[in-house]
Amino acid sequence: MTTRTGRRLAALLLGPAAALLAFATPAAAAPAGGGLDADVSVGQLVLNPTERGYQGNLPITVTNRGRADTYFSVTIVEPVAGSIGNLSPESACGFQGLQDNRRVVNCSVPGDNLKPGERRSFTVAFQALTTPRGVAMIARGGRVEVNVGDGSEAIGDAESFAARFRSTSGSLRNPVPYAQDSQARASISTAAAATLVRQEDGSYQGRLPVTVRWAGDAAHDLLFVEATTLPAGVQIWGTDPQDMPSFFTNFVVPGGRFMAGEERSFDVLLRAEPGTVPGDLGAATFQLDTQWDSIVVADANPADNSASFTVAAA
């Protein structure tokens, strides 16, 4: 079973980027010395409004200015927390913690080692799950640095960049600062009762309808539910649909990250052991937490983060 800190989950789940960032063993870096040098240049990151927030791509070019074939990587600080996605072409990437609550990611420059004088370009996808607005916006603080190898040896060349949000009318002019929520705005509700029905093996199983709602645009990897109380012998047996793990007393809300204003309904599967005496089994309470980089994010209204129900066996 997991703890509520989500550290064990972090080993299994790396949030939205887990599906986007490929993890692999990078090629060996060129030996130290040998005239290693490189520079990096970036284009503009323009985020366009879509049916699911804003999306855009950042062009990056790395040039080997040294005298040896060299493996390079880039360290990227995202300008909007939780927005960084995949590289194109695909490349091995790894998370390196947070900086001002924004994710830092180190990615191999796609392809083989760069030859002296060789220039290689690629793009990084970004998605900001916030409601598109009628005004242009801007978020500063993005940064790309080129490194030798896996990022442990810095070259020193870096460029800053901003995320520019195009308005719903298509304008980039007169942008206002983009202010991302720092607190979660999540809520959970359940049916008032769950009835478990006897199965052929003598166990009892049933479904509890659950609805999770998300407002705002705080950075998050997942929403995590812990059963703070369960009747004796009753366990969480999964969710329907299920695309994330569950661990008998807790589960991850299926469907990945939430878009601002999204509501998601699903069933939680409950099970009681054979030998359970039919009748009222007792009360249960679910506690909803928002997790970002394995940290529980404070919620603006904690009162609607819990829901209680009763369980009976028939």
Side-chain angles (χ1 to χ4, degrees):
M1 297 182 185
T2 58
T3 63
R4 293 189 62 194
T5 62
R7 293 293 177 183
R8 181 173 168 188
L9 273 176
L12 299 172
L13 305 168
L14 292 174
L20 299 172
L21 300 177
F23 289 82
T25 302
L36 298 177
D37 190 14
D39 64 28
V40 62
S41 61
V42 301
Q44 280 198 341
L45 173 58
V46 176
L47 298 176
N48 297 302
T50 71
E51 292 183 355
R52 189 169 173 81
Y54 292 83
Q55 297 181 18
N57 296 288
L58 175 71
I60 299 176
T61 299
V62 172
T63 304
N64 184 358
R65 300 295 188 189
R67 301 190 300 272
D69 291 6
T70 308
Y71 158 66
F72 294 104
S73 66
V74 288
T75 299
I76 305 166
V77 180
E78 59 184 6
V80 177
S83 63
I84 195 166
N86 62 302
L87 268 66
S88 181
E90 188 175 287
S91 177
C93 296
F95 297 138
Q96 295 190 330
L98 301 179
Q99 178 178 305
D100 297 328
N101 202 47
R102 291 171 287 121
R103 190 159 265 157
V104 180
V105 179
N106 179 263
C107 297
S108 305
V109 172
D112 299 328
N113 290 1
L114 271 71
K115 299 181 182 302
E118 183 179 359
R119 174 180 297 175
R120 189 168 299 160
S121 298
F122 52 98
T123 61
V124 184
F126 288 83
Q127 181 181 35
L129 294 178
T130 190
T131 303
R133 295 165 175 81
V135 297
M137 298 184 292
I138 189 168
R140 305 184 188 277
R143 177 181 168 88
V144 179
E145 180 181 68
V146 62
N147 310 292
V148 175
D150 61 2
S152 57
E153 183 179 349
I155 292 294
D157 190 42
E159 282 201 11
S160 299
F161 67 96
R164 301 177 184 275
F165 295 72
R166 193 182 298 278
S167 74
T168 51
S169 63
S171 176
L172 289 171
R173 303 177 68 178
N174 303 317
V176 300
Y178 168 63
Q180 188 172 16
D181 289 341
S182 60
Q183 290 185 307
R185 298 180 182 274
S187 65
I188 185 172
S189 60
T190 69
T195 299
L196 312 185
V197 179
R198 192 176 188 278
Q199 307 296 303
E200 291 185 0
D201 65 357
S203 66
Y204 290 80
Q205 295 184 25
R207 293 171 175 263
L208 177 75
V210 173
T211 298
V212 172
R213 299 173 182 84
W214 178 261
D217 60 6
H220 65 288
D221 290 323
L222 55 90
L223 271 62
F224 180 72
V225 177
E226 176 88 21
T228 55
T229 59
L230 275 176
V234 175
Q235 297 175 322
I236 293 171
W237 214 241
T239 64
D240 183 19
Q242 176 149 6
D243 56 10
M244 294 288 197
S246 57
F247 296 102
F248 304 133
T249 61
N250 52 59
F251 61 89
V252 176
V253 175
R257 292 192 301 162
F258 278 74
M259 173 67 191
E262 184 176 355
E263 178 177 297
R264 204 172 289 171
S265 295
F266 54 96
D267 286 347
V268 175
L269 309 181
L270 300 173
R271 181 181 185 274
E273 294 292 337
T276 297
V277 178
D280 293 336
L281 302 182
T285 299
F286 283 172
Q287 173 67 36
L288 175 69
D289 282 331
T290 299
Q291 293 196 4
W292 167 235
D293 200 58
S294 300
I295 301 168
V296 174
V297 181
D299 196 279
N301 182 17
D304 61 10
N305 290 168
S306 64
S308 298
F309 56 95
T310 60
V311 182

